[in-house]
Amino acid sequence: QSQEISQVSIDYHVALQALVEDGTKMVCTGRMHTDRICRFESLCYSTEAEEFVFFHSSSSVMLPNLGSRRFQPALLDLSSVEDHNTQYFNFVELPAAALKFMPKPVFVPDVALIMNRFNPDNLMHVFHDDLLPIFYTMQQFPDLDLETRLFFMEGWGEGLHFELYKLLSSKQPLLREQLKTLGRLLCFTKSYVGLSKITTWYQYGFVQPQGPKANILVSGNEIRQFKTFMMKRLNVSLEGIPGEEYIIVFSRTINRLILNEAELILALAQEFQMKTITVSIEDHTFSEIVRLISNASMLVSMHGAQLVMSLFLPRGATVVELFPFAINPEHYTPYKTLSTLPGMDLQYISWQNTEKGNTVTYPDRPWDQGGIAHLDKAEQDRIIKSNEVSRHLCCSNPEWLFRIYQDTKINIASLIQIIRQTVKTKPGPKKQKWTSGLYPGKVRDAKCQASIQGTSEAKLSVSWQIPWNLKYLKVREVKYEVWIQEQGENTYMPYILSHQNHTFSDNIKPFTNYLVWIRCIFNKNLLGPFADMLVCST
Ligand code: UDP
């Protein structure tokens, strides 16, 4: 992996002349700064000013051309976290002629993906905010292949999990600090700026209390594609993993401890008649953890970033998330949301310590590890007396930090009982359903025929053909939903039917226009699109 940027592979004078003559070209996708990714030719960066530079010439292109709206609040988000005011991207503009008076540009020949990592020391943030978005941003643009050079502009050092970022491309990622060593004015021959947010499933509570994103667009399938890629790049082999089914306890060793871990392990092994092993970030390499998790039947862990690793579990496995006293599991659901993504095929169970006697608090620790000694006495008393942390914003609510950094003695009986409510026999991989999430197409050739009986009664016979894709599918149950609406009314009568035709006579009047909608439903909950509306006149 070469870190220095070679200037040999490009003809310097040709490149410089092209930059002076053509300037910068930018074409972006997205309508708002929060969904924008931009492709640039000849985007430059001044390492002295720490600013990106757009050079104008008669051939430069800037789309969208937002005028001063480019600063309201920014051109785009550099990280995958939506609209975070420390993560904005913009550039300053200069005429290309100014290059004459500037430091000699150093050209970056690699195709670059320029972005911010959000919190590279926290594993949840690493996967959710950076690795998955980088992986799928690269899938979106064919230029971004394994030869891509990643540029992390947030200004952090490598961070604790740099090895994971290195898996995404064959070239060493570069940090903002390192750019200084390359030159005073860097010009990226071809670059993409920004990250796709399409895979993120959680918002951390900057403007409203944390929770699942309002409009989740990722399914288990894409998470598994990413998992497969990462396992290949990590060279994970399945040699040496237990042949039989097993349970993993993912433990934390620094804080938020399980105080009776040995007892927990014994109880799990006994109850499920399975080998039970412990892993931790401190004692295992990533490859080892991934290798073990990718074949486990159950993963048990305290709430915390390490639980993002449940994305490596096999389908059908069970995730058991443990919450300390006064922390309501329904209010902190990054891992529940992950486990229950459509098609993720994991069983999710949460358990909360409800016994004050089983919790150990640390009021005298520094505030960022949950200490509360800095608060006034009344507030300390209130926190200590409270049995639940109310919903709050990120990121430094002292009551939340106090409670989330407690250690917990697990009430084994209550935990086993909760797991048993969901996992009836043995946990672990189930036989896979192969047509799980495929939706019906429209029904075809819908027709209606009306007949009148006397002056007050009428019938409406409606028929249709199966959706085109049904003949290629094995579907457990096929039903049809028909809505009949009298033209001009704003209510309708819904029917669920098993056959491809039906004669309606209830509430059907003569000499009336009816609007008829029909759609197909697979397996009770896979609702297809409505076919074109039929107008039927009795
Ligand atoms: N961490 C760990 N062991 C510990 C405590 C923390 O490996 O005993 C890791 C954790 O997985 C995360 C990082 O340290 O990647 C930061 O942990 P923190 O408690 O700040 O965040 P949380 O886990 O609550 O998201």
Side-chain angles (χ1 to χ4, degrees), residues 394-431:
C394 189
C395 311
S396 55
N397 179 298
E399 182 176 357
W400 149 252
L401 292 170
F402 175 69
R403 289 305 184 186
I404 198 58
Y405 283 113
Q406 296 168 113
D407 297 340
T408 304
K409 183 174 160 242
I410 310 289
N411 179 328
I412 304 281
S414 89
L415 174 61
I416 297 285
Q417 192 196 354
I418 281 182
I419 301 176
R420 270 297 176 210
Q421 278 166 14
T422 305
V423 181
K424 291 288 186 253
T425 51
K426 278 209 153 192
K430 304 268 166 345
K431 290 215 180 62

Side-chain angles (χ1 to χ4, degrees), residues 386-519:
S386 164
N387 290 333
E388 181 170 317
V389 180
S390 315
R391 283 195 193 264
H392 55 88
L393 296 181
C394 189
C395 311
S396 55
N397 179 298
E399 182 176 357
W400 149 252
L401 292 170
F402 175 69
R403 289 305 184 186
I404 198 58
Y405 283 113
Q406 296 168 113
D407 297 340
T408 304
K409 183 174 160 242
I410 310 289
N411 179 328
I412 304 281
S414 89
L415 174 61
I416 297 285
Q417 192 196 354
I418 281 182
I419 301 176
R420 270 297 176 210
Q421 278 166 14
T422 305
V423 181
K424 291 288 186 253
T425 51
K426 278 209 153 192
K430 304 268 166 345
K431 290 215 180 62
Q432 284 172 21
K433 312 170 270 179
W434 60 276
T435 47
S436 46
L438 302 188
Y439 288 83
K442 291 180 188 171
V443 303
R444 290 150 60 90
D445 302 328
K447 294 188 182 74
C448 58
Q449 209 168 25
S451 59
I452 299 184
Q453 269 103 22
T455 50
S456 61
E457 279 177 37
K459 284 185 178 167
L460 212 53
S461 293
V462 184
S463 67
W464 58 89
Q465 300 300 316
I466 61 169
W468 172 82
N469 62 343
L470 177 54
K471 60 177 179 285
Y472 301 105
L473 295 172
K474 229 156 102 183
V475 181
R476 194 165 13 94
E477 184 198 86
V478 180
K479 290 253 157 100
Y480 298 93
E481 183 167 8
V482 178
W483 293 0
I484 298 187
Q485 178 183 28
E486 188 178 326
Q487 194 162 32
E489 300 291 316
N490 50 20
T491 60
Y492 59 85
M493 296 171 293
Y495 298 86
I496 298 283
L497 306 168
S498 307
H499 298 104
Q500 288 152 246
N501 57 64
H502 190 79
T503 300
F504 300 89
S505 52
D506 288 357
N507 299 312
I508 303 291
K509 298 182 284 193
F511 312 112
T512 308
N513 289 335
Y514 289 96
L515 310 181
V516 178
W517 282 271
I518 311 165
R519 68 175 164 191

Side-chain angles (χ1 to χ4, degrees), residues 164-183:
L164 293 175
Y165 294 92
K166 292 207 279 192
L167 300 173
L168 294 171
S169 110
S170 61
K171 300 207 163 95
Q172 173 86 1
L174 292 178
L175 307 171
R176 192 174 76 193
E177 275 312 296
Q178 295 170 309
L179 301 187
K180 294 199 169 73
T181 66
L182 300 175

Side-chain angles (χ1 to χ4, degrees), residues 189-232:
T189 309
K190 194 190 279 181
S191 60
Y192 290 81
V193 180
L195 282 182
S196 168
K197 300 178 173 77
I198 203 158
T199 59
T200 59
W201 63 84
Y202 208 69
Q203 62 85 11
Y204 298 118
F206 297 111
V207 291
Q208 52 169 312
Q210 63 172 273
K213 275 190 9 179
N215 187 11
I216 291 177
L217 301 171
V218 66
S219 81
N221 181 53
E222 290 72 38
I223 304 287
R224 280 188 297 274
Q225 307 289 332
F226 167 79
K227 155 187 162 174
T228 305
F229 171 86
M230 292 297 278
M231 288 181 66
K232 258 203 206 111

Side-chain angles (χ1 to χ4, degrees), residues 109-338:
D110 311 316
V111 181
L113 175 56
I114 297 168
M115 38 125 334
N116 279 3
R117 296 176 298 167
F118 189 70
N119 181 352
D121 283 347
N122 180 300
L123 206 53
M124 165 65 184
H125 288 285
V126 169
F127 275 93
H128 176 268
D129 309 340
D130 306 340
L131 299 175
L132 272 157
I134 294 169
F135 181 73
Y136 278 106
T137 302
M138 291 173 70
Q139 305 265 308
Q140 186 172 351
F141 302 102
D143 289 344
L144 296 174
D145 53 20
L146 268 187
E147 305 295 303
T148 302
R149 179 82 68 174
L150 299 172
F151 288 85
F152 299 152
M153 299 305 295
E154 76 290 333
W156 289 54
E158 289 192 349
L160 296 174
H161 305 296
F162 202 60
E163 52 176 321
L164 293 175
Y165 294 92
K166 292 207 279 192
L167 300 173
L168 294 171
S169 110
S170 61
K171 300 207 163 95
Q172 173 86 1
L174 292 178
L175 307 171
R176 192 174 76 193
E177 275 312 296
Q178 295 170 309
L179 301 187
K180 294 199 169 73
T181 66
L182 300 175
R184 295 163 70 195
L185 185 63
L186 301 182
C187 291
F188 300 91
T189 309
K190 194 190 279 181
S191 60
Y192 290 81
V193 180
L195 282 182
S196 168
K197 300 178 173 77
I198 203 158
T199 59
T200 59
W201 63 84
Y202 208 69
Q203 62 85 11
Y204 298 118
F206 297 111
V207 291
Q208 52 169 312
Q210 63 172 273
K213 275 190 9 179
N215 187 11
I216 291 177
L217 301 171
V218 66
S219 81
N221 181 53
E222 290 72 38
I223 304 287
R224 280 188 297 274
Q225 307 289 332
F226 167 79
K227 155 187 162 174
T228 305
F229 171 86
M230 292 297 278
M231 288 181 66
K232 258 203 206 111
R233 299 284 295 170
L234 278 167
N235 239 328
V236 170
S237 84
L238 299 180
E239 251 168 74
I241 50 158
E244 75 280 30
E245 294 188 73
Y246 58 94
I247 298 171
I248 296 183
V249 173
F250 201 147
S251 69
R252 294 172 62 108
T253 61
I254 302 164
N255 52 39
R256 206 177 304 151
L257 307 178
I258 298 170
L259 294 170
N260 53 341
E261 210 168 272
E263 189 191 351
L264 171 66
I265 288 164
L266 283 175
L268 290 167
Q270 170 98 49
E271 177 68 24
F272 296 99
Q273 291 296 304
M274 281 188 194
K275 188 168 169 165
T276 301
I277 53 186
T278 331
V279 300
S280 69
I281 305 266
E282 290 79 11
D283 302 324
H284 295 76
T285 66
F286 257 100
S287 298
E288 284 172 329
I289 297 175
V290 167
R291 190 168 62 94
L292 288 167
I293 291 184
S294 68
N295 261 292
S297 297
M298 192 190 302
L299 179 63
V300 181
S301 181
M302 268 291 163
H303 172 80
Q306 70 286 344
L307 260 170
V308 76
M309 300 290 281
S310 52
L311 73 84
F312 290 101
L313 283 167
R315 296 173 91 161
T318 302
V319 176
V320 181
E321 181 172 13
L322 312 172
F323 288 83
F325 181 79
I327 301 288
N328 184 335
E330 291 304 313
H331 297 178
Y332 310 95
T333 56
Y335 315 110
K336 176 184 180 179
T337 307
L338 170 63

